[in-house]
């Protein structure tokens, strides 16, 4: 620091300026020096402050806008859900056309975009924590030991087995042209459609349907109509028995009924209501036609039923022989199919055996049903043969009214069976098979990310350093003006005048 008067310095006592003089002693010219006047630098900084402030504001806004734009382009627009799928369910069927079509129809979206939506869905399995830790340990051993690794450890890594039961389903809604809320809604609809698909395909929850709505019993004579009701109630009872064995004491919150309640209702309709109508038809020979026509028709019906019963008997005996000679064990069997050899696994062997058992039971049930129908029609024929005259009009009216009442009761029973079965499969039997562990969600990206903040800070820092650099250079130039070169020629002498 120097504080000298004269020679162009600024007195410290007068201007209160602080400046630094750097002398170059390595040269002969001792007067060569560089003055750093902080007062002049501050003066130029004040002069450029307004310009710097405007540029800082403008470039800050511009860089912030660029950062937000790049943030929107680069952000991950995805909705995710975590599901659990056990058993033999194929989780990739989430992307199947049938499931996608149901989800698109639910939200009213264009089915022509199904392929675009399918490509936007991604499914990844979640490795169980225990298996993940074991695999990580093997990988660490490989990385540390390298070529010296024990082959048994490598073999253990290659043969490591684990079962995946949880899956992450991701939907990149921007790729499908949807907004965030629409993407979450679609993923919800897609998972509901997948659950419905699994119920239909894997659980075989085929609704009973109203067969009487397809076949109008009014188009048949009274005895034939009564037999239609008998077959329908037998089918319902068989269906309810299987559901009762699986569901136990399940009670529907919708109908308030159990499968046992429904089976009892079906038994009452068959053994009391229908039997009363059938016996009245037989005792009074109730018919819209003459006796000879009805006798000839029912004899023809008995012949048809006997033929079907004979076919079912042949099938029953063939299945019984196959089951007795079948070996249900863990060996592999080779079956010849069209000259080709097909190797069946133990699972296939057991499945084939169980299928034959079920076919045998179905054939036995068909034989029993045919036998009941034959006995019923024989009693109808006997009634017509012993009847002295055709039925009275009041008998016909009574039977018609009774069949109409029975029809309404059966329709209500079928509706209750379907509603109760659907609730059972959706809330009990199926809940542990396919579950949504974490509902579809999509994280809302922050308004300003760290990337945008870093871009703005970098631009402002560069601008600030530029601003300070310009102020420093201007202050140095003013503090160190260029010196005029000294000329070697003698100065001209004033000329005296007279």
């Amino acid at each position: 620091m120097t504080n000298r008067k004269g020679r162009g310095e600024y007195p410290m006592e007068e201007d209160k300026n602080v400046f630094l003089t750097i002398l170059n002693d390595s040269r002969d010219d001792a007067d060569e020096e560089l003055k750093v006047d902080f007062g002049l630098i501050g003066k130029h900084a004040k002069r450029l402050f307004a310009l710097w402030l405007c540029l800082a504001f403008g470039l800050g806004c511009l860089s912030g806008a660029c950062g937000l734009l790049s943030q929107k382009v680069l952000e991950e627009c995805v909705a995710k859900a975590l599901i659990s799928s056990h058993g033999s369910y194929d989780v990739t069927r989430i992307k199947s056309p049938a499931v996608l079509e149901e989800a698109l129809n639910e939200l009213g979206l264009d089915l022509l975009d199904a392929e675009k939506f399918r490509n936007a869905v991604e499914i990844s399995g979640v490795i169980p924590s225990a298996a993940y830790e074991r695999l990580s340990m093997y990988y660490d051993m490989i990385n540390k030991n390298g070529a010296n690794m024990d082959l048994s450890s490598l073999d253990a890594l290659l043969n490591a087995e684990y079962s995946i039961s949880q899956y992450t389903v991701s939907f990149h809604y921007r790729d499908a042209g949807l907004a965030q809320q629409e993407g979450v809604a679609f993923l919800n609809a897609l998972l509901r459609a997948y659950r419905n698909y699994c119920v239909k395909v894997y659980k075989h929850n085929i609704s009973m349907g109203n067969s009487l709505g397809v076949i109008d019993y009014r188009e048949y004579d009274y005895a034939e109509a009564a037999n239609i009701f008998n077959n329908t109630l037998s089918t319902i009872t068989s269906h309810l028995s299987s559901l009762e064995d699986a569901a136990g004491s399940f009670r529907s919150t919708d109908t308030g009924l159990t499968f046992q309640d429904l089976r009892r209702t079906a038994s009452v309709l068959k053994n009391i209501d229908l039997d009363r109508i059938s016996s009245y038809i037989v005792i009074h020979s109730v018919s819209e036609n003459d006796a000879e026509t009805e006798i000839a028709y029912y004899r023809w019906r008995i012949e048809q039923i006997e033929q079907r019963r004979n076919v079912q008997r042949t099938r029953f005996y063939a299945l019984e022989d196959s089951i007795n000679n079948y070996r249900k064990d863990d060996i592999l069997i080779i079956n010849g199919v069209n000259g080709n050899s097909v190797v069946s696994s133990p699972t296939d062997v057991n499945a084939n055996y169980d299928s034959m058992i079920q076919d045998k039971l179905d054939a036995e049930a068909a034989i029993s049903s045919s036998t009941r129908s034959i006995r019923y029609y024989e009693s109808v024929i006997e009634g017509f043969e012993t009847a002295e005259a055709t039925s009275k009009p009041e008998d016909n009216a009574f039977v018609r009214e009774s069949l109409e009442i029975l029809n309404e009761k059966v329709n209500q029973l079928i509706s209750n069976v379907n509603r109760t079965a659907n609730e059972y499969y959706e809330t009990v039997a199926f809940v542990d098979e396919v579950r949504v562990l974490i509902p579809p969600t999509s994280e809302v990206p922050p308004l300003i990310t760290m990337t945008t903040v870093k871009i703005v800070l970098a631009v402002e820092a560069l601008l600030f350093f530029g601003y300070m650099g310009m102020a420093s250079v201007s202050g140095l130039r003013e503090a160190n003006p260029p010196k005029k070169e000294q000329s070697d020629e003698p100065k001209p002498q004033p000329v005296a005048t007279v």
Side-chain angles (χ1 to χ4, degrees):
M1 284 285 184
T2 62
N3 184 14
R4 297 178 295 175
K5 292 183 180 181
R7 301 183 62 182
E9 291 87 350
Y10 299 93
M12 191 172 182
E13 292 81 359
E14 298 176 3
D15 297 336
K16 304 297 183 181
N17 287 343
V18 178
F19 60 88
L20 176 68
T21 301
I22 302 175
L23 300 176
N24 188 357
D25 297 334
S26 63
R27 297 183 61 178
D28 296 334
D29 188 0
D31 291 335
E32 184 176 351
E33 57 187 16
L34 176 64
K35 298 177 182 178
V36 181
D37 193 328
F38 295 101
L40 289 176
I41 293 176
K43 182 183 73 172
H44 287 283
K46 291 180 181 179
R47 181 173 60 85
L48 297 173
F49 179 77
L51 176 62
W52 168 77
L53 189 61
C54 293
L55 289 176
F57 179 77
L59 291 179
C61 292
L62 181 61
S63 59
C66 293
L68 291 175
L69 182 61
S70 62
Q71 172 183 315
K72 278 191 166 253
V73 174
L74 298 176
E75 71 182 10
E76 187 180 14
C77 299
V78 60
K80 294 183 178 181
L82 181 65
I83 68 172
S84 173
S85 180
H86 300 275
S88 58
Y89 304 108
D90 185 2
V91 73
T92 61
R93 301 303 295 174
I94 292 177
K95 302 174 65 173
S96 65
V99 176
L100 283 170
E101 181 177 348
E102 182 177 343
L104 292 172
N105 286 331
E106 180 181 341
L107 298 180
L109 299 173
D110 193 352
L111 294 178
L112 297 177
D113 296 332
E115 185 64 20
K116 181 171 64 175
F117 279 82
R118 189 182 72 84
N119 294 332
V121 177
E122 181 181 352
I123 304 170
S124 58
V126 179
I127 301 177
S129 58
Y132 182 81
E133 292 176 359
R134 186 170 66 253
L135 293 175
S136 299
M137 181 183 65
Y138 289 144
Y139 280 120
D140 291 340
M141 292 174 61
I142 293 175
N143 293 331
K144 291 180 180 179
N145 299 329
N148 298 324
M149 179 180 176
D150 186 6
L151 293 179
S152 60
S153 300
L154 181 60
D155 184 66
L157 174 62
L158 296 176
N159 296 327
E161 296 182 357
Y162 54 87
S163 176
I164 295 179
S165 60
Q166 295 182 359
Y167 301 86
T168 300
V169 183
S170 305
F171 176 59
H172 301 270
Y173 52 84
R174 174 175 290 175
D175 296 342
L178 298 181
Q180 182 184 18
Q181 293 182 350
E182 295 172 334
V184 173
F186 174 79
L187 187 53
N188 266 312
L190 187 67
L191 296 179
R192 285 194 297 269
Y194 175 64
R195 285 174 58 87
N196 295 336
Y197 170 84
C198 290
V199 169
K200 294 176 184 177
V201 174
Y202 297 104
K203 285 300 181 183
H204 306 287
N205 183 24
I206 303 174
S207 298
M208 290 294 301
N210 192 344
S211 60
L212 298 181
V214 179
I215 302 176
D216 190 356
Y217 73 93
R218 299 177 186 86
E219 298 178 357
Y220 299 86
D221 196 45
Y222 299 123
E224 188 70 15
N227 193 56
I228 292 175
F229 279 104
N230 179 74
N231 294 334
T232 300
L233 289 171
S234 296
T235 303
I236 294 174
T237 302
S238 176
H239 182 64
L240 288 171
S241 296
S242 61
L243 288 173
E244 184 180 353
D245 293 338
S249 60
F250 168 77
R251 183 177 297 275
S252 170
T253 58
D254 181 17
T255 62
L257 300 171
T258 65
F259 292 116
Q260 186 178 17
D261 297 334
L262 294 168
R263 184 178 57 80
R264 289 173 179 171
T265 302
S267 298
V268 169
L269 293 179
K270 180 181 179 181
N271 299 327
I272 297 179
D273 293 43
L274 180 59
D275 281 356
R276 185 179 69 249
I277 297 172
S278 299
S279 61
Y280 192 92
I281 292 172
V282 173
I283 294 172
H284 296 85
S285 300
V286 182
S287 175
E288 295 287 347
N289 303 317
D290 59 274
E292 294 181 358
T293 302
E294 290 300 308
I295 290 173
Y297 169 74
Y298 288 118
R299 283 177 178 171
W300 175 82
R301 286 285 296 142
I302 290 174
E303 292 178 0
Q304 298 295 317
I305 295 174
E306 284 180 342
Q307 292 178 3
R308 291 200 299 269
R309 184 174 63 176
N310 291 335
V311 172
Q312 292 296 333
R313 279 176 176 171
T314 303
R315 182 167 177 263
F316 174 82
Y317 293 137
L319 287 168
E320 191 173 37
D321 292 340
S322 298
I323 291 171
N324 293 334
N325 297 327
Y326 204 87
R327 297 184 61 186
K328 183 179 180 182
D329 51 25
D330 292 336
I331 65 171
L332 295 178
I333 61 173
I334 300 179
N335 299 325
V337 180
N338 297 328
N340 298 324
S341 296
V342 178
V343 180
S344 300
S345 65
T347 302
D348 296 331
V349 173
N350 297 340
N352 292 335
Y353 182 86
D354 296 339
S355 177
M356 286 193 296
I357 292 292
Q358 184 60 47
D359 291 341
K360 177 187 173 182
L361 294 175
D362 294 341
E364 188 175 12
I367 293 172
S368 299
S369 178
S370 298
T371 302
R372 287 194 302 269
S373 297
I374 290 174
R375 290 176 180 173
Y376 172 69
Y377 288 142
E378 287 176 345
S379 64
V380 172
I381 292 174
E382 183 180 356
F384 279 114
E385 288 177 342
T386 58
E388 298 179 356
T390 57
S391 58
K392 300 178 182 179
E394 54 268 24
D395 294 333
N396 295 2
F398 174 78
V399 173
R400 281 196 301 269
E401 182 180 357
S402 300
L403 289 175
E404 183 66 29
I405 295 174
L406 178 61
N407 182 46
E408 294 178 358
K409 292 181 179 179
V410 172
N411 287 339
Q412 183 61 43
L413 173 63
I414 292 175
S415 175
N416 289 335
V417 169
N418 290 335
R419 289 161 55 193
T420 304
N422 288 335
E423 182 179 346
Y424 166 70
Y425 281 121
E426 292 176 1
T427 61
V428 178
F430 200 61
V431 69
D432 292 331
E433 303 298 337
V434 176
R435 290 191 299 165
V436 179
L437 302 178
I438 300 179
T441 56
S442 178
E443 295 184 359
V444 179
L447 182 61
I448 299 177
T449 63
M450 286 303 299
T451 302
T452 302
V453 173
K454 289 178 180 178
I455 292 175
V456 174
L457 290 178
V459 171
E460 293 294 346
L462 290 175
L463 183 61
F464 177 77
F465 287 127
Y467 159 69
M468 293 304 298
M470 290 182 62
S472 299
V473 171
S474 299
L476 290 174
R477 285 182 178 178
E478 185 175 348
N480 299 274
K483 296 181 179 180
K484 296 180 180 180
E485 295 182 358
Q486 301 292 334
S487 177
D488 295 336
E489 299 179 358
K491 296 181 180 180
Q493 297 295 327
V495 179
T497 58
V498 180

